[in-house]
Amino acid sequence: MDDINQNISVNEKLRGFTDIALKEAYRRKEHIIDTAEKENSEAKKKKELEFLEEAYYAIQNGTRKLRKELNESVSKALVDGKKKMFEKRREIIDDIFSKVANKLREFTKTDDYKRYIIDNINESIKAIGKDQYELYVNKDETELYRDILDKEEIDLSIKESSKDIMGGFIIFGLRKRLMADCSFKIKMQKAREDFLEYCNLPIKDGDLN
């Protein structure tokens, strides 16, 4: 009887030890699972954060690239628009001064042109002073100038200009090395420059940059 009771007591102890061991094992299992879940969760969050950071930088880079491309497109459009505007203005101005040039050519066929020549030669000689002179004119006007100088008894050497001066003349005082440019070409150039400056328009292509 005592042996039976002893066996029961031993079995109960074994069962108690077993229960304690199982509970401890269960606790440890739960702890391991909980720790693993936390680690997985943190790893997942970390990975998600990495993905978000990568996505953010990708978006930022893409945005910067798009912004840069947009700015370049806008800048190009502004420059193109500005150039087109200047080209149109230059086209209008070229047309205006082309008509002026035609009017000057018509003027060279009139008696008023002869008076213009005489007056400007006398003024040029007065300004330069006593000297030996050479008068440069367009080839097709040499005879006209000879006739005028002969009638006015003005002693000047007439030379053909190597370039078209559009009418008028260029006079040189050889000893004093002074010059007076009374050509229509220089007057046209000056008038054009004054007009462009007055209208705040470029005089040279480089002014468009």
Side-chain angles (χ1 to χ4, degrees), residues 44-70:
K44 182 180 179 182
K45 288 180 180 178
K46 184 178 180 182
K47 203 66 180 175
E48 287 177 349
L49 183 60
E50 289 177 358
F51 286 144
L52 285 173
E53 288 178 349
E54 290 177 3
Y56 173 78
Y57 287 123
I59 291 171
Q60 285 295 98
N61 290 333
T63 302
R64 279 194 291 269
K65 184 179 179 182
L66 288 173
R67 190 182 295 117
K68 181 181 178 183
E69 291 176 353
L70 178 60

Side-chain angles (χ1 to χ4, degrees), residues 104-120:
L104 287 174
R105 291 189 187 93
E106 292 176 5
F107 176 67
T108 61
K109 310 300 181 184
T110 66
D111 289 336
D112 287 337
Y113 177 57
K114 295 177 182 179
R115 175 50 52 190
Y116 168 87
I117 292 172
I118 296 168
D119 290 344
N120 278 272

Side-chain angles (χ1 to χ4, degrees), residues 8-199:
I8 291 172
S9 177
V10 171
N11 287 335
E12 287 177 352
K13 287 180 179 180
L14 288 172
R15 191 179 299 114
F17 290 150
T18 302
D19 288 343
I20 291 171
L22 287 173
K23 286 179 181 179
E24 180 63 21
Y26 180 77
R27 188 188 66 78
R28 288 185 178 182
K29 183 197 76 170
E30 289 296 319
H31 176 71
I32 291 170
I33 291 173
D34 186 56
T35 300
E37 286 179 348
K38 285 181 180 179
E39 290 177 352
N40 287 337
S41 178
E42 290 177 359
K44 182 180 179 182
K45 288 180 180 178
K46 184 178 180 182
K47 203 66 180 175
E48 287 177 349
L49 183 60
E50 289 177 358
F51 286 144
L52 285 173
E53 288 178 349
E54 290 177 3
Y56 173 78
Y57 287 123
I59 291 171
Q60 285 295 98
N61 290 333
T63 302
R64 279 194 291 269
K65 184 179 179 182
L66 288 173
R67 190 182 295 117
K68 181 181 178 183
E69 291 176 353
L70 178 60
N71 288 337
E72 288 176 352
S73 297
V74 171
S75 297
K76 185 177 184 299
L78 289 174
V79 171
D80 289 345
K82 187 178 179 182
K83 285 185 176 179
K84 287 180 181 178
M85 179 183 67
F86 282 133
E87 287 171 1
K88 185 61 179 177
R89 287 179 175 179
R90 184 182 287 112
E91 181 183 331
I92 293 171
I93 292 168
D94 286 344
D95 181 61
I96 291 172
F97 280 90
S98 175
K99 291 177 180 177
V100 171
N102 290 334
K103 290 293 183 181
L104 287 174
R105 291 189 187 93
E106 292 176 5
F107 176 67
T108 61
K109 310 300 181 184
T110 66
D111 289 336
D112 287 337
Y113 177 57
K114 295 177 182 179
R115 175 50 52 190
Y116 168 87
I117 292 172
I118 296 168
D119 290 344
N120 278 272
I121 287 176
N122 288 329
E123 287 178 10
S124 298
I125 292 173
K126 184 178 179 181
I128 295 174
K130 188 175 180 180
D131 205 332
Q132 181 180 352
Y133 293 100
E134 285 185 347
L135 197 69
Y136 285 81
V137 301
N138 276 342
K139 181 179 180 180
D140 60 350
E141 289 192 332
T142 53
E143 289 301 320
L144 171 66
Y145 273 83
R146 285 195 181 96
D147 290 343
I148 293 173
L149 294 179
D150 287 343
K151 288 178 181 178
E152 296 296 321
E153 297 182 350
I154 300 173
D155 184 20
L156 296 178
S157 173
I158 297 175
K159 303 285 184 180
E160 292 180 6
S161 173
S162 59
K163 296 180 180 179
D164 181 15
I165 59 174
M166 298 177 63
F169 60 87
I170 303 173
I171 188 169
F172 287 92
L174 300 181
R175 288 193 293 268
K176 294 181 179 179
R177 296 183 178 276
L178 296 177
M179 176 195 77
D181 192 338
C182 297
S183 67
F184 286 172
K185 183 176 182 179
I186 195 68
K187 293 182 183 297
M188 280 276 291
Q189 288 177 349
K190 185 65 169 60
R192 184 185 179 91
E193 289 173 4
D194 290 344
F195 183 81
L196 292 173
E197 185 176 355
Y198 175 78
C199 296

